Amino acid sequence: MADKVIPPGSTIGILGGGQLGRMTALAAARLGYRALVYSPEADSIAGQVTAHVQGEYDDSAALARFAGRVDVITYEFENVPEATVGACERHKPVRPGVRPIHFAQHRLREKEFFRKAGLGTADYQPVGCAADLDKATALPGILKTCTEGYDGKGQIRVASKAELAAAWEKLGRRDCILEALVDFQCEVSAIVARGLDGETRCFPIGRNEHRDGILRTTTVPSGLPAATLKEAERLGVQLADSLELTGLVALEMFVTRDGRVLANEMAPRPHNSGHWTIDACATSQFEQLVRAICGLPLGAVDVLAPSRMANLIGEEADDWRRYLADPTARLHLYGKAKARPGRKMGHVTYVLPNASIPRS
Ligand code: AMP
């Protein structure tokens, strides 16, 4: 185990140049690591804070050069092609590796994996051909493309077989999954780190509020009963162990009105619903990722103060003066040049020591 430790002073390679890579690079720097970002854009926002190489994800020569300059490699988004991770693995350890993205990239595979790992999910069925439309029973439901959907994209709510057929046409007759609509009381997420030695640590469960399929806020403490939180944590840890990953995995879940906890989606990387940990937890999710992939001891996950993270989407980030003037607000801007509707431009974490967070 000790010989696998990648000590401070080493270089962490990051596939992907978005805000998650940016915040990982900042956490790495704090612990004395260098970070090198690999992404196709000439001007990535992660590259604003650390060294950056431009390269396509299918350029094996460029990937080999990148791997030659780093000691360990991670990724900041789960849609990095499996072949890219495979090409990197020939040169350096990639943590969490190719297995988690194999499942996370494909909604049907992901749900099947959850079930095999003993995690309950909404009822679902594949929709890949016209015959599947007739067999559909998971109604009312949500039809989702198996690949390339995020932040509510590639998803259509359907109440009847006729609506299902129209939705499948609209999604381009692609491979889809039909999921029964879950009547949930709230959504939560577990973010679990798993170290090189298999030790796991779950951050306190956050309660998430989505609008239009996009995460808007995460609140900790969640105000949910202890038994629900324990179950959510158990599912997160079970997922991390089943994936045998070294790194971080986020599991988004539904808490149903009758108190069951169902797995919805996973991401084997830092997650938007864990941003509160930067300002209100003993260890941030980004530092925890660095610790896990470098074989360092995992950090404490104690909550330092009640907090609520709110995403700044599109033009909301233009209000930065207001957040700066609020003594309870910690502002994080991602350095993105253009505010488009639905684009995550930054976030603000309200940290309220000695105060209780009002319910949203
Ligand atoms: P997803 O991309 O699967 O995370 O879905 C985005 C959001 O859509 C979720 O966070 C939920 O708010 C909602 N949603 C997705 N699937 C379901 C479902 N089966 N039942 C009810 N709401 C859902």
Side-chain angles (χ1 to χ4, degrees):
M1 168 61 203
D3 59 337
K4 288 194 197 156
V5 168
I6 293 165
S10 309
T11 303
I12 298 171
I14 303 172
L15 295 167
Q19 63 263 25
L20 301 176
R22 176 180 169 109
M23 291 185 271
T24 301
L26 292 171
R30 192 163 154 260
L31 290 186
Y33 289 88
R34 293 165 187 266
L36 179 62
V37 166
Y38 184 100
S39 78
E41 314 92 58
D43 181 25
S44 79
I45 57 163
Q48 291 173 10
V49 304
T50 194
H52 174 254
V53 283
Q54 187 184 5
E56 297 301 324
Y57 289 124
D58 60 358
D59 184 343
S60 48
L63 286 166
R65 282 196 301 277
F66 160 72
R69 293 175 60 188
V70 304
D71 299 290
V72 63
I73 297 170
T74 192
Y75 43 78
E76 61 115 44
F77 73 122
E78 63 277 13
N79 281 325
V80 53
E82 280 186 45
T84 304
V85 174
C88 289
E89 271 177 342
R90 282 196 277 282
H91 305 283
K92 289 288 157 62
V94 181
R95 297 177 183 152
V98 82
R99 194 167 128 84
I101 59 171
H102 175 73
F103 296 111
Q105 281 177 359
H106 192 279
R107 286 185 190 276
L108 190 57
R109 282 205 291 256
E110 181 179 56
K111 286 279 185 312
E112 284 165 354
F113 184 79
F114 286 161
R115 289 277 178 103
K116 257 194 220 136
L119 280 61
T121 69
D123 287 337
Y124 66 87
Q125 51 202 115
V127 176
C129 61
D132 290 336
L133 299 172
D134 277 342
K135 287 187 255 159
T137 54
L139 291 165
I142 305 188
L143 187 68
K144 304 179 179 180
T145 55
C146 283
T147 55
E148 287 161 18
Y150 68 96
D151 284 349
K153 294 189 179 74
Q155 303 191 5
I156 300 177
R157 286 192 178 216
V158 290
S160 63
K161 282 194 180 173
E163 283 184 19
L164 174 63
W168 190 57
E169 285 295 333
K170 200 165 171 201
L171 293 175
R173 293 176 153 252
R174 292 173 50 188
D175 279 341
C176 289
I177 176 171
L178 175 66
E179 288 178 22
L181 203 60
V182 176
D183 183 24
F184 57 79
Q185 52 167 303
C186 69
E187 295 182 74
V188 295
S189 52
I191 298 174
V192 181
R194 190 167 180 279
L196 263 181
D197 56 359
E199 184 198 351
T200 52
R201 265 189 208 180
C202 181
F203 284 101
I205 303 296
R207 183 164 48 85
N208 300 329
E209 188 203 348
H210 292 83
R211 245 173 283 150
D212 303 324
I214 303 180
L215 181 70
R216 298 305 307 220
T217 65
T218 300
T219 304
V220 176
S222 63
L224 289 164
T228 308
L229 299 177
K230 210 170 150 203
E231 176 64 359
E233 178 168 337
R234 187 184 72 80
L235 296 186
V237 169
Q238 190 149 322
L239 174 64
D241 280 337
S242 303
L243 288 168
E244 297 177 341
L245 62 67
T246 300
L248 218 57
V249 65
L251 176 62
E252 294 184 84
M253 290 164 277
F254 301 121
V255 180
T256 63
R257 294 205 184 273
D258 55 4
R260 287 172 305 136
V261 184
L262 301 178
N264 175 36
E265 196 175 31
M266 69 161 151
R269 53 163 171 79
H271 193 261
N272 194 168
S273 64
H275 290 356
W276 66 273
T277 58
I278 301 174
D279 297 306
C281 192
T283 307
S284 82
Q285 62 167 343
F286 300 100
E287 176 176 334
Q288 199 74 305
L289 172 66
V290 170
R291 286 175 179 243
I293 64 175
C294 291
L296 309 184
L298 298 179
V301 290
D302 306 87
V303 176
L304 302 179
S307 69
R308 173 173 295 148
M309 185 286 309
N311 272 330
L312 300 177
I313 296 182
E315 289 175 351
E316 288 166 2
D318 296 346
D319 262 348
W320 50 267
R321 278 192 185 80
R322 178 155 72 87
Y323 303 117
L324 288 178
D326 181 343
T328 68
R330 310 282 176 93
L331 179 65
H332 300 253
L333 294 175
Y334 303 151
K336 295 183 184 177
K338 281 205 182 68
R340 283 195 298 272
R343 193 172 196 209
K344 292 172 182 168
M345 303 299 291
H347 72 267
V348 59
T349 304
Y350 297 95
V351 183
L352 302 175
N354 309 318
S356 60
I357 300 258
R359 292 187 76 90
S360 59

